[in-house]
Amino acid sequence: MRRLSRALLSVTTVATLGVAGCSDDPSTPTTADSPPAAGSPSAAVENAGEFYVEPTGPAVDQVAQWEAAGRTADATAIRRIAAAPMAVWFADGNPGYADRARALVTAASTASTTPLLVAYHVPQRDCGGYSGGGASDAAAYRTWIAALADAVRGSGAIVVLEPDAITHVLEGCVTGTAVTERYALLAEAIRELKKDGSVRVYLDAGNPSWIKDVDRVVDGLQQAGVGDADGFSLNVANFETTEANIAYGDEISNRLGGKNYVIDTSRNGNGPAEVGSGDGHWCNPPGRALGATPTTATGHDRVDAYLWIKRPGESDGACGDGAPEAGQWWPDYALGLATN
C-alpha cells in the first residue's frame, strides 16, 4: 500500500478526539463497521473520562455559513463533525506550539475532559509525500518533543506518536543510518512524554492493508520502544474496518505480550475504497463515511479506545478532483462523510 497522508493542522485551534455517526442516528455505526458490544475499558484509559471538544474550528464555521445561506440540511449534517471531539495535530515547530499544547490541556482540565494530541514532526516525515516536512534533524526533534512533553506533563492527555513513522521504515523509504536514528528518536519521545506517568502514549503501527507481515511490524515497534508506551495505534487517517483492525491488532498484541491499542474510526464507516492505480484508495476516496463513536467501552480487552484521530473533512492531500493540500478543510468532502 502507498504511504498515507496526514492532516497537517495549523494547530492554531484547540481540538480533540471525535464523536460518531454513519447512520440516521449519529451514535450508531453503520452495518459495515459495527464495533463489538460495549464493555469495560482497559486500565490504561479507564479514567480517561469524556474527551474534550473544541468550541471553534472550520466545521463550526461551516455550520454557521450554511445556516446563514439557508442550507439547513447540510448544516445539520456538518454539525455531526463540528460537535465532535477530534485530535489536535502538532505538526510544526512554529513559535508558540508548546503554548498551544499547554492551552489545550488546560482547557480540557477545566472542562474535566481528556485531550488527545498527535505528535507528528519526525525528520523526513511522510518521506516527502503530501504531508512531507518534520524537524530538520535529530537534535531539532529532541528539542521539539521535549517542549511538547513539558507542555502536557501532568495533564492525563492521550498522545498518538508519529503516524506512519515505523511503517515508512518498513516500506523502505527511510534507509541507512536514518533507520536507527528514527527508532532511537521514537523511543526517546516515548520516555520523554511519559516522564511523570500521567500522559498515555500510543506508538503508531499503520493499518491492516499496509504492512501485512505482522512480525516485521512487531520488530519495528520493539526497536522504537513500544515496551515503554501504553500501546500502539492503528488505522490513523485510513478507512479499514474496525473488525479488520482488531484482527490485525490482536496479531500484533499477541507478539507483544498482550499490548493494548487504539483504533482511528473517524472515517471507516463504509470501510476502505477499492484498491486501484495511484493513490485514490487512500487519498480522499469517495463514498467513505464517518465511523463509530469514540469511546473507551470497546467490548475488547485489548482495544483501549475507538478515537477520531484524523479530522474528518480535512484533505488527505492535493491528489486530484479539486482536493486541497493536506490538512485543509474541504466542505464537499466533509459533507459526503457526514451523509454517506
Side-chain angles (χ1 to χ4, degrees):
M1 177 178 179
R2 295 288 298 274
R3 55 181 171 268
L4 308 184
S5 177
R6 299 294 147 214
L8 292 181
L9 303 187
S10 64
V11 295
T12 56
T13 59
V14 176
T16 52
L17 317 184
V19 77
C22 311
S23 64
D24 291 337
D25 176 0
S27 68
T28 305
T30 60
T31 302
D33 196 35
S34 298
S40 299
S42 74
V45 293
E46 62 185 359
N47 297 317
E50 295 183 359
F51 301 128
Y52 179 75
V53 181
E54 66 174 333
T56 61
V60 175
D61 295 341
Q62 193 69 60
V63 169
Q65 179 183 332
W66 281 351
E67 284 181 336
R71 296 177 59 175
T72 306
D74 291 344
T76 298
I78 293 300
R79 190 175 286 109
R80 297 166 73 183
I81 297 174
M86 293 174 285
V88 168
W89 289 62
F90 288 85
D92 62 51
N94 294 338
Y97 73 91
D99 290 336
R100 291 191 290 272
R102 194 170 286 109
L104 165 64
V105 300
T106 298
S109 177
T110 299
S112 298
T113 54
T114 299
L116 173 73
L117 298 81
V118 179
Y120 188 54
H121 196 51
V122 73
Q124 299 183 48
R125 186 183 64 207
D126 199 35
C127 291
Y130 291 120
S131 294
S136 58
D137 56 29
Y141 185 76
R142 290 185 174 102
T143 299
W144 182 87
I145 199 70
L148 184 65
D150 182 68
V152 302
R153 194 154 288 136
S155 68
I158 295 173
V159 178
V160 174
L161 182 62
E162 298 297 346
D164 300 352
I166 291 174
T167 36
H168 276 146
V169 171
L170 302 178
E171 189 182 49
C173 69
V174 178
T175 59
T177 58
V179 172
T180 302
E181 177 183 89
R182 175 165 291 192
Y183 284 148
L185 289 175
L186 294 173
E188 291 170 24
I190 293 169
R191 293 193 295 271
E192 188 70 37
L193 287 162
K194 291 194 64 64
K195 267 186 178 179
D196 75 344
S198 74
V199 175
R200 286 148 292 183
V201 180
Y202 294 87
L203 179 61
D204 192 62
N207 67 76
S209 64
W210 197 350
I211 306 297
K212 297 183 179 181
D213 186 338
V214 171
D215 289 331
R216 294 183 64 218
V217 175
V218 169
D219 180 65
L221 287 168
Q222 289 174 325
Q223 291 192 62
V226 73
D228 292 325
D230 294 278
F232 54 94
S233 59
L234 295 174
N235 208 46
V236 175
N238 212 279
F239 307 88
E240 298 296 321
T241 67
T242 300
E243 289 79 8
N245 277 285
I246 289 175
Y248 186 68
D250 280 355
E251 285 194 62
I252 295 172
S253 176
N254 288 340
R255 292 161 171 79
L256 291 174
K259 205 74 171 175
N260 286 24
Y261 55 97
V262 296
I263 300 171
D264 184 354
T265 59
S266 60
R267 303 185 300 174
N268 73 347
N270 282 345
E274 183 178 349
V275 176
S277 60
D279 300 331
H281 60 288
W282 63 262
C283 190
N284 305 311
R288 302 312 96 202
L290 300 178
T293 308
T295 182
T296 58
T298 65
H300 193 291
D301 60 359
R302 295 187 189 179
V303 183
D304 279 346
Y306 301 136
L307 306 173
W308 278 15
I309 301 171
K310 166 70 178 183
R311 296 170 65 90
E314 295 185 354
S315 177
D316 292 313
C319 47
D321 296 327
E325 296 295 324
Q328 298 301 304
W329 174 251
W330 189 5
D332 291 341
Y333 197 76
L335 185 60
L337 290 170
T339 57
N340 283 337

